Amino acid sequence: GAVVSQHPSRVICKSGTSVKIECRSLDFQATTMFWYRQFPKKSLMLMATSNEGSKATYEQGVEKDKFLINHASLTLSTLTVTSAHPEDSSFYICSARGTSGGFYEQYFGPGTRLTVT
Amino acid sequence: DAKTTQPPSMDCAEGRAANLPCNHSTISGNEYVYWYRQIHSQGPQYIIHGLKNNETNEMASLIITEDRKSSTLILPHATLRDTAVYYCIVYTGTASKLTFGTGTRLQVTL
């Protein structure tokens, strides 16, 4: 299957600082990218959907000014957690969707574990 | 997208077949059944998907009932590395979003 990478895999930051997470589709062009977060022992929760060159669409309850998403190209999307607080500590997972033979396929990155101290 | 119901947990002995059920009684005609799994602290991994016919690939088989209201994912010879949370999702595969439920935690034991 297609490969989606995330960087960094782990990050620790101090409260009040901002953190950027990169998501790349390595061998296909992703027309749409998704960002999820996951708390321990919980399921994935969709945060936002972004299409290349467009503003992201955020799920209800997700602060767009806090979680800045940029989808600058068909292979790169970034999530910036601004003014991070300990409650933002979570596992962040990106997903990229492209087409194969006319059918949409969605692949996930390995995740980024954010710890805010 | 239609909602799915899965048992919260299952056990399976290594080498035996793991049969994971999923109910999706409100599935629409244009919705596919997808299965993903998530091994601890990793991103979800695509397993298989189908519309109405049974499907098989190198990882698993997917059996969908004739009325499409339920399906079963079959791992023919489970190994310890198959221990994971398995998510059954129904969606159109186009403009809609993959929404994850609580999944089934499969524990493969010796």
Side-chain angles (χ1 to χ4, degrees):
Chain A
V3 178
V4 176
S5 71
Q6 276 185 247
H7 178 79
S9 57
R10 291 178 176 272
V11 58
I12 301 173
C13 71
K14 292 185 184 292
S15 187
T17 62
S18 295
V19 174
K20 181 184 283 189
I21 302 170
E22 288 188 353
C23 175
R24 293 181 185 273
S25 57
L26 297 185
D27 51 1
F28 69 103
Q29 294 187 324
T31 52
T32 305
M33 287 187 169
F34 306 84
W35 287 94
Y36 295 78
R37 67 188 297 182
Q38 185 176 34
F39 293 107
K41 299 190 184 300
K42 298 294 185 182
S43 187
L44 285 80
M45 289 177 50
L46 181 65
M47 299 175 65
T49 302
S50 72
N51 292 299
E52 184 259 343
S54 303
K55 287 186 178 180
T57 301
Y58 291 81
E59 295 298 302
Q60 191 172 7
V62 178
E63 299 176 59
K64 65 174 94 175
D65 293 331
K66 180 169 187 60
F67 299 100
L68 302 180
I69 292 171
N70 184 275
H71 191 163
S73 74
L74 287 173
T75 59
L76 173 65
S77 176
T78 60
L79 168 68
T80 302
V81 183
T82 63
S83 187
H85 291 284
E87 56 265 31
D88 297 324
S89 298
S90 189
F91 193 50
Y92 291 87
I93 304 168
C94 76
S95 179
R97 185 166 72 193
T99 58
S100 174
F103 194 83
Y104 290 83
E105 297 183 337
Q106 189 164 336
Y107 298 93
F108 289 80
T112 296
R113 187 161 304 282
L114 170 63
T115 304
V116 184
T117 60
Chain B
D1 293 326
K3 184 178 176 180
T4 62
T5 304
Q6 298 177 253
S9 63
M10 293 182 65
D11 291 330
C12 178
E14 189 177 35
R16 306 296 290 264
N19 297 287
L20 292 90
C22 180
N23 286 322
H24 32 78
S25 58
T26 60
I27 191 170
S28 300
N30 64 344
E31 288 181 313
Y32 290 75
V33 180
Y34 277 74
W35 283 84
Y36 282 80
R37 73 179 181 183
Q38 186 179 26
I39 295 170
H40 182 63
S41 293
Q42 297 182 24
Q45 177 189 22
Y46 166 81
I47 301 173
I48 198 168
H49 75 275
L51 183 62
K52 53 185 178 181
N53 297 322
N54 297 338
E55 302 287 344
T56 295
N57 62 21
E58 64 278 4
M59 289 183 68
S61 295
L62 174 60
I63 309 298
I64 302 174
T65 58
E66 193 169 341
D67 62 7
R68 301 206 328 120
K69 293 185 177 182
S70 66
S71 60
T72 301
L73 178 74
I74 301 172
L75 307 179
H77 305 287
T79 70
L80 296 177
R81 287 177 295 181
D82 292 322
T83 293
V85 178
Y86 287 76
Y87 295 98
C88 167
I89 303 167
V90 292
Y91 94 126
T92 62
T94 55
S96 57
K97 303 165 281 194
L98 270 181
T99 303
F100 288 79
T102 53
T104 295
R105 186 172 297 276
L106 175 68
Q107 180 70 52
V108 181
T109 58
L110 290 171

